[in-house]
Amino acid sequence: MDVMFMITCGRYIRSILYLLLLISVQFGPHAVEGVWPLPQAFTSSPERYPVNSQDFYFVYGRQSAAQQGCSVLDTAFKRYFSLIFPDHNSGSHSTTRNGHNGSPADRLSWTIYLVPFCVPDNLSISAGKASLNAETVWGAVRGLETFSQLVYQDDFGSYFVNKTEIDDFPRFQFRGILLDTSRHFLPVQAILKTLDAMAYSKFNVFHWHIVDDPSFPYQSSTFPDLSSKGAFHPMTHIYTQSDVRRVISYARLWGIRVLPEFDSPGHTTSWGKGQPGLLTPCYKGGTPSGTFGPVNPALPSTYRFMARLFKEVSSVFPDSYVHLGGDEVDFHCWRSNPDVRVFMQKMGFGGDFTKLEAFYIENIVNITSALNKTSIVWQDVFDYHERVSTPQQIWDLHRIIKAGMRVLLAAQWYINHISYGQDWRNSYTEQKKLVIGGEVCMWGEYVDATNLTPRLWPRASAVAERLWSDEKQTSSVDKAFPRLQDFRCKLLRRGIQAEPLYVGHCKHEYQGI
């Protein structure tokens, strides 16, 4: 059950979808190391069944709440047919059939249960049939991913699946990856490819750190100058409204939420290029120095601008969460500005600039709350004792949990840093009792479309298993290695340029070069 996604195609009623496997039973060795991330309960035997792409169909059950026309499952069936049988020449072959009319030996077909009560998602593969039970369509999509990893080819190219029983659900609700598109612009296609790989590892949140100091690539319809003057290039290095809709729509079909981040009051140098009067003028020796610091929290115009911007953001990004940043605010410019100091005295802040930031963040949270958005902020907000009861993205877990705050763990998973050797092991062995979940952060100082994929995968997959699987069952790095090595080969077969874990080879090496 992927509890962060409760949208379904139709009412929650029992629907049936069976995968009817060929009656003939063959015995052979396990040809796959397992599933990544490891399911909560997973048993498999050497008993195996041949799977023929020519006779393989997904079939909606007669009583299914979801029928053809459910975009999520219709798209998933087509997508996973191609992933399961990458060598199949589709031609006129249809991946789906209406109803459940054939006999078990007639066609190889699959049916899904969408059940209206809280049970672990279940995948059962036995002699003559297989069934997938899921509470939501999103759980069904995760189950399709699991099944796709269980199908394998022998040395002669024939496809098989072993007898298997799986009960599964994610350990944490929030399993995210952050991409930074300000420090280096990432083309939409690179983002979509990342979403593919995220779904293969069962990540469910794309944290889009879309703007920052270096550039403002988001093209605002309300404030078009923000990108026309703040992006690296006003035509080639921007995300149009159409681009953003494309990313959100694509992510939705994978069961991935898109969480936008518009970080302020710091990290806003690019904002000031297209919005005069937003940033704080810095002073030196009592006169303006010509440079600018964070957003000016002393001006009413600041909050009018933010209210209009976030009204647009809330309509463009449908997710219930929005990330407000709030990190790494340099107080030097605020301290140098006489108008800001007068405002602080008026507000009773004295010389405590953390109170000034608290005032600013509280106002922005109020703006987004009025738009029915739940705000997420970085840990700096908690450090300054701001009265904001929003989820915190943190690096000091113990102190914040002790204070009763909801948290997302991020700092030890800053995998934009590259190191020699098997550094995925560090991510895999990190153990924390998180409240909401965590995410991989791929900051963009040294990352663009040329190295994003190999730097991210399969190291991010190690984090994915920490966030999905049972802690006790996945405590051994040595046991994880062959499964991750096998999964890395699956990523290569699917066109994901994942870097190697160590010396070795894949049956199907990467063909994209």
Side-chain angles (χ1 to χ4, degrees), residues 369-434:
S369 295
L371 296 167
N372 296 317
K373 296 290 186 180
T374 300
S375 303
I376 299 178
V377 293
W378 292 102
Q379 180 179 327
D380 303 53
V381 175
F382 174 84
D383 291 343
Y384 295 150
H385 309 290
E386 293 159 2
R387 299 182 298 276
V388 177
S389 58
T390 65
Q392 312 274 325
Q393 198 158 4
I394 59 92
W395 42 89
D396 184 355
L397 182 67
H398 176 74
R399 184 164 59 92
I400 296 183
I401 284 185
K402 188 175 180 181
M405 304 299 292
R406 293 173 292 165
V407 300
L408 302 170
L409 191 62
Q412 77 269 39
W413 295 330
Y414 278 22
I415 62 173
N416 47 291
H417 302 296
I418 197 72
S419 62
Y420 184 78
Q422 300 184 49
D423 56 356
W424 68 273
R425 293 172 175 260
N426 300 328
S427 299
Y428 191 82
T429 55
E430 187 66 45
Q431 295 294 315
K432 299 292 180 184
K433 293 181 179 179
L434 307 180

Side-chain angles (χ1 to χ4, degrees), residues 54 193 206 221 504:
Q54 296 293 338
K193 178 68 74 173
F206 167 38
S221 59

